[in-house]
Structure formats: structure tokens, C-alpha cells
Amino acid sequence: MSTYHSPVLLHECLEGLNIRPAGIYVDVTFGGGGHSKEILKKLNDKGRLIAFDQDADAVANRIDDPRFTLIEKNFSSLKSELQKIGIEQVDGILADLGISSHQIDEAARGFSTRFEGPLDMRMDRSQKLTAADVVNEYEEHELKRIFRTYGDIDNAGRLTRLITLARSERKIKTITDLKTAIEECTPKGKEFRYLAKVFQALRIEVNQEMNALKQLLEQSSSVLAPGGRLVVISYHSLEDRMMKNFSRSGNIDGKIEKDFFGNQITPFVLVNRKPIVPSEKEIELNSRARSAKLRIIEKSVRHGGHTAEAGYVEKHD
């Protein structure tokens, strides 16, 4: 089993959480536990950290600490799972989205274009839907939508036609099967980038990643205590756009609501005006950080959690 790589933007995440030693914090993407271990170092004996991870492999990284609780669920059930353990509000939530290096490096998981393996791509291996199911069973128009929306693939129509033609002859079961089926529309000299987009689109669909993020953001409004921080690292434009909209408006659509006097109503204030990105040195040491964008917002302490005018706590230009 491969090791988990270094946590992305670690210092910036810890700074963004603005950790109180006796506070309650949630790491909704536990993985190798890199972020969680550093959060625990900043808590005293009254502090508490709850982590979420739906990947069974992450359980092996469970931290032996009385202040730590690992919930083996997707973070979309954040609010209900916290309520089960008697927690209504927390002081900070950290989400490091996307796929872990460990998952990519395990050929049998089917996440990487570099290895041969089954078309799986399930983060939670107890669920039924796999990437092979999507490729072989989805209607052509559904596949086209997935590749355009989740992969931003220009020739999604041709890609989908090649897949439907190939699967009519025999089932597409492996990574090689898929790569062979779409070889005609894979741009020469840009194979890696193109296949990465195809795999990203399938992975997002299999794991319902955008829906899970939507639920996480919507639940954070009530789960965060006033003054609590939401810290999110995203790796592709769809995630970042959703977080950006939510940061500015309090909803994922970015719809601005105003009060009677025309002032903007939002439950959050922005901690960073622009997304924080990794340094060249970090990218050199950890290639996974290359596309990372970090956004930080704080639950307003005014007007019952709503502020009449969005402001900035600090700026990172």
C-alpha cells in the first residue's frame, strides 16, 4: 500500500482555521491525517477534532488520541453525524477536496490513467456504482453532459460516440479498454491532459462529488458557530466556483440577497479576497498541490449570523 503524500497548503490551512485551543474542529477529508495531526497539536485537553472519510483505507490512519473521533462517512452527512455525537456547532471546518495521492497510486482503484486496472473510481467501495457502470450503462446524452460539465471536454460529442460504439461490441471494463475506445479523439501530444479530464469527469459522477460539496457548504451555515471558519481547498474550476459563489452570497448559485435598505445579506465574511495558491517550492515538493486553491470564510457574529455588508477579515492579494 502506498503512503499518503504531504498535506497541501498545511500552514495556510492552520492559519485560516484560526484555531482556539479549547475549540471543536472538523476535518471532513481525513485521508492520511496530515492536516488532522497538526490541528490536534494546537488543541488543549478540552479541544476536540472530528474527522470524516468514506474511504476504508483511511481508517488505518486513525489517530490514537482521546480528543479525536473518526466518522467513516461522506462529509455530505456532516450535520446529522455531528448531532449523533452531541455536537450542534463547531469552531472550524476544513475540506481538502478531490482525490488523494494514495488513491491515485493504487492501481486497483482505477483512478489513474498511468496504471492498468478496473474502471472503478469509487471512493467509498461499499457503494454499487462504478466508472464501468457509468461508461457502459449511461445514455449517450448523459455521458455527453458529464464530460462537458465535469471535464470541460470540447469534443465531448465525438468522445461519447466512440464510447457507445465500443461498448456495443463488448463491455468496457478496464482502463486500457477505455483508452483504446477513445484513442481516435485523444489529441496527439496532449494525451495525458485529455485523459485526465475524462477520468476526472467520470470520478466526479461516480462519487457525486459536486452534490456532496453542495450539501457540505449548505450545512456549514448552521454547523459553524458565529466566528467559526470554513477552509476549503479545491482542485478544479467547478469546486472553486461553487465555493466562490457560496463565500460571497451564502448560497452555491451566487444569488445575492439584499435587505430592505439594499444592503447585501450573507452569513459569512471573506477572510481572503483572492484564493490562496501554493508556492513554487511547495509545488516542486508536492505535485498534487499544483492546481490547489484555498478559500477561507468566517461565520458572521452580527445580526444573528448575517451581515448586512460583506467585508474582509484580512487580505491575501
Side-chain angles (χ1 to χ4, degrees), residues 45-310:
D45 58 357
K46 294 182 180 179
R48 192 169 181 186
L49 175 63
I50 298 90
F52 283 72
D53 206 299
Q54 63 186 333
D55 191 337
D57 287 355
V59 177
N61 302 311
R62 188 191 301 269
I63 301 169
D64 184 15
D65 190 306
R67 301 168 298 169
F68 177 77
T69 302
L70 178 61
I71 297 173
E72 298 173 46
K73 299 278 187 179
N74 183 281
F75 55 65
S76 61
S77 59
L78 173 70
K79 187 173 182 178
S80 62
E81 290 298 326
L82 289 178
Q83 288 176 337
K84 287 179 184 177
I85 57 175
I87 296 175
E88 294 293 333
Q89 290 194 315
V90 302
D91 299 293
I93 300 170
L94 169 65
D96 182 2
L97 303 173
I99 186 172
S100 72
S101 300
H102 167 77
Q103 290 167 327
I104 292 173
D105 292 340
E106 289 289 309
R109 303 297 295 273
F111 286 111
S112 176
T113 63
R114 294 183 288 119
F115 308 117
E116 171 59 326
L119 274 177
D120 193 319
M121 302 193 194
R122 294 172 297 169
M123 292 183 180
D124 176 359
R125 283 180 282 185
S126 68
Q127 76 172 43
K128 292 183 178 180
L129 184 71
T130 67
D133 295 329
V134 173
V135 167
N136 289 287
E137 298 174 11
Y138 274 33
E139 296 289 341
E140 188 171 343
H141 72 275
E142 292 178 307
L143 284 175
K144 186 176 180 180
R145 173 189 60 81
I146 290 166
F147 290 129
R148 276 187 173 170
T149 305
Y150 298 152
D152 195 25
I153 296 173
D154 294 331
N155 64 349
R158 188 181 179 206
L159 167 65
T160 303
R161 285 192 296 275
L162 288 174
I163 288 174
T164 53
L165 177 62
R167 76 187 190 186
S168 70
E169 298 176 357
R170 67 184 181 91
K171 195 169 184 179
I172 300 171
K173 296 181 179 180
T174 68
I175 291 170
T176 297
D177 288 345
L178 178 59
K179 289 165 71 173
T180 300
I182 65 175
E183 187 174 7
E184 286 185 24
C185 72
T186 303
K188 304 304 178 186
K190 299 179 180 179
E191 291 90 348
F192 179 78
R193 179 172 176 79
Y194 184 82
L195 290 171
K197 287 183 174 184
V198 172
F199 275 53
Q200 173 184 290
L202 291 172
R203 191 200 77 224
I204 290 173
E205 174 65 18
V206 168
N207 298 287
Q208 293 294 295
E209 293 176 33
M210 300 312 297
N211 184 55
L213 178 57
K214 174 179 180 289
Q215 292 184 59
L216 171 67
L217 295 179
E218 291 175 342
Q219 292 173 46
S220 70
S221 295
S222 58
V223 169
L224 280 172
R229 296 276 184 92
L230 175 62
V231 177
V232 178
I233 306 174
S234 62
Y235 294 89
H236 60 76
S237 59
L238 287 173
E239 291 172 338
D240 184 58
R241 188 180 309 124
M242 189 180 290
M243 179 57 183
K244 181 179 180 180
N245 286 344
F246 186 77
S247 299
R248 296 183 181 279
S249 66
N251 60 76
I252 61 167
D253 298 318
K255 183 179 179 181
I256 303 297
E257 297 182 9
K258 296 184 178 181
D259 62 17
F260 179 78
F261 301 100
N263 297 311
Q264 181 178 330
I265 301 172
T266 175
F268 297 101
V269 292
L270 307 179
V271 175
N272 56 320
R273 181 193 297 269
K274 296 179 180 179
I276 300 170
V277 296
S279 65
E280 291 185 7
K281 182 178 180 181
E282 178 171 2
I283 293 171
E284 184 179 339
L285 295 172
N286 183 5
S287 60
R288 180 173 179 254
R290 184 177 305 279
S291 57
K293 290 184 177 181
L294 172 64
R295 293 187 186 272
I296 307 162
I297 56 178
E298 181 176 297
K299 179 78 170 288
S300 174
V301 298
R302 293 177 288 169
H303 305 299
H306 287 69
T307 177
E309 185 177 352

